[in-house]
Amino acid sequence: MKQVTIVVPECRVNMNTIGGAFDILNQANEYWMRSGNDAAIEVRIAGFVSEQRSHSEYLSIHPISIDTINNTDLVLIPAPLSDHENAIKNNQQLIEWIRVQYENGAEVASMCAGGFLLAATGLLNGKRCSIHWNAIKDFKQLFPEVEVAGEKIITAEKGLYTNGGAYSFLNLILYLVEKLFDRTTAVYCSKFYQIDIERHSQSPFTIFDLQKGHDDALIGEAQVYIEEHIDAKISFEQLAKTLAISRRNFDRRFIRATGDTPVAYLQRVKIEAAKKELEKGQKTVFEVMLDVGYADDKAFREVFKKITGLSPTAYRNKYNAVVLN
């Protein structure tokens, strides 16, 4: 029987990641036994803290002492809700415990922002990691040696598993259920909890934040110009000249300030505007394409799918407002 340990950090955590993982894994084990098999796993919730309360104080968890666990086959790290740097600072003992468990043969999976604690072990250096799209910038600053797979729902590499944001941890748990049991059990849990088992990308859920968290006033001015002229054909050569800077320096400063080239930034601004129009459902894909400055239908669809993971039509069908009778 494999031992699964859900650890409880000393900081505010997303209690749903703890409870959800615990419930699904135990349901999988019960289904497995109903099918005539012996129990495959034992799930424990453990930590260096004796109690963990939810941020609104209406729920509490009383983990067993992590010192009582001599060995484990799988470690699950829930998502901290507090400041990530402080969460890392306040959980050095737990971080070291996780690292030692991995070195002793355990696999480790982080749920959502739990990736910050996993990365703090150093185990992800040189490997890929998925993290909530809204936390990618902070994650990259803290862990430049980790390759961020921002579009992925799940990454799996050398016994280390991560997932994207929020409730996509459910997809990670289904993935682990299939590893611990089999595909049939994972499909059963998918149906029982009504989780889409085939989600592979978090790109459709990403909201572009316009990358204004820098102090380069000239690039900020360029960003405003781009955002106000998404329906026009922008010449970055001319824009750089207007801002009294060479094109080469303009590109260099733009990338340093935003993390994107001017062309990539323009594409993301256009596609974000297109997404909002498609969500309203009042215009055709062709009309939306023209509104955001594309004249080539093929080019628009290719860029849209590259950024969102869906075609414009599929995106509109998925997110456009639906009135229920």
Side-chain angles (χ1 to χ4, degrees):
M1 182 188 301
K2 290 191 174 182
Q3 302 295 316
V4 179
T5 305
I6 304 173
V7 297
V8 180
E10 190 174 348
C11 60
R12 291 197 305 117
V13 297
N14 183 338
M15 302 287 264
N16 295 317
T17 56
I18 297 175
F22 185 84
D23 286 347
I24 295 172
L25 289 171
N26 279 298
Q27 182 66 230
N29 206 32
E30 290 175 11
Y31 175 79
W32 183 253
M33 290 187 290
R34 288 199 303 272
S35 301
N37 304 296
D38 293 332
I41 62 172
E42 179 184 9
V43 186
R44 299 169 292 185
I45 300 175
F48 290 106
V49 294
S50 59
E51 181 183 27
Q52 177 63 263
R53 291 184 174 273
S54 65
H55 63 281
S56 54
E57 299 292 318
Y58 65 88
L59 282 177
S60 67
I61 289 177
H62 298 268
I64 63 173
S65 172
I66 208 164
D67 291 327
T68 65
I69 296 177
N70 297 319
N71 63 80
T72 189
D73 297 288
L74 174 64
V75 177
L76 287 174
I77 308 172
L81 292 176
S82 57
D83 175 78
H84 301 130
E85 290 190 67
N86 282 332
I88 292 168
K89 180 181 177 181
N90 295 333
N91 285 281
Q92 287 300 307
Q93 189 177 11
L94 179 61
I95 289 167
E96 175 62 14
W97 185 88
I98 293 168
R99 187 186 65 78
V100 170
Q101 296 306 309
Y102 180 77
E103 291 176 350
N104 289 339
E107 296 188 316
V108 183
S110 64
M111 296 179 277
C112 190
F116 281 86
L117 296 180
L118 177 54
T121 66
L123 297 173
L124 285 175
N125 289 351
K127 301 181 182 70
R128 295 191 309 160
C129 173
S130 182
I131 201 77
H132 195 294
W133 58 262
N134 198 36
I136 289 176
K137 183 178 180 181
D138 290 342
F139 189 90
K140 285 183 174 180
Q141 289 177 343
L142 287 174
F143 306 108
E145 296 181 3
V146 180
E147 180 186 346
V148 177
E151 79 287 357
K152 295 290 186 181
I153 289 288
I154 298 168
T155 65
E157 193 168 349
K158 296 183 178 180
L160 299 171
Y161 310 95
T162 68
N163 80 272
Y167 281 85
S168 67
F169 83 90
L170 297 171
N171 295 92
L172 172 63
I173 301 304
L174 289 182
Y175 177 86
L176 295 174
V177 165
E178 184 169 352
K179 283 183 62 66
L180 293 165
F181 300 91
D182 58 14
R183 178 70 175 181
T184 300
T185 306
V187 170
Y188 167 79
C189 289
S190 169
K191 293 179 178 179
F192 187 89
Y193 290 100
Q194 300 184 34
I195 305 166
D196 182 1
I197 198 171
E198 295 303 335
R199 277 179 56 194
H200 301 295
S201 172
Q202 63 174 332
S203 296
F205 306 101
T206 303
I207 301 173
F208 185 45
D209 66 2
L210 299 181
Q211 299 162 319
K212 297 290 181 65
H214 60 80
D215 56 4
D216 192 325
L218 183 144
I219 297 304
E221 188 176 343
Q223 287 175 277
V224 170
Y225 180 87
I226 290 170
E227 293 153 21
E228 292 179 349
H229 295 83
I230 61 169
D231 59 342
K233 186 174 182 180
I234 295 177
S235 166
F236 287 110
E237 193 72 39
Q238 184 58 46
L239 179 56
K241 186 176 180 180
T242 301
L243 296 170
I245 186 174
S246 71
R247 174 64 191 273
R248 181 177 180 181
N249 283 337
F250 174 73
D251 286 355
R252 178 178 56 81
R253 283 174 61 172
F254 201 100
I255 293 170
R256 185 172 62 191
T258 69
D260 275 328
T261 65
V263 172
Y265 185 86
L266 174 61
Q267 288 178 335
R268 295 189 68 182
V269 170
K270 285 176 177 288
I271 298 306
E272 189 64 25
K275 284 163 58 181
K276 291 176 181 177
E277 285 299 315
L278 291 171
E279 287 163 14
K280 294 176 184 176
Q282 298 172 352
K283 295 183 178 180
T284 66
V285 170
F286 183 76
E287 289 171 328
V288 170
M289 178 192 79
L290 296 178
D291 285 348
V292 298
Y294 277 91
D296 185 328
D297 178 74
K298 182 180 178 182
F300 172 67
R301 292 176 186 276
E302 286 179 350
V303 173
F304 193 98
K305 188 165 186 178
K306 177 183 176 182
I307 291 175
T308 70
L310 297 173
S311 70
T313 300
Y315 186 92
R316 183 185 60 185
N317 292 342
K318 190 176 184 72
Y319 293 108
N320 135 32
V322 176
V323 178
L324 299 178
N325 295 323

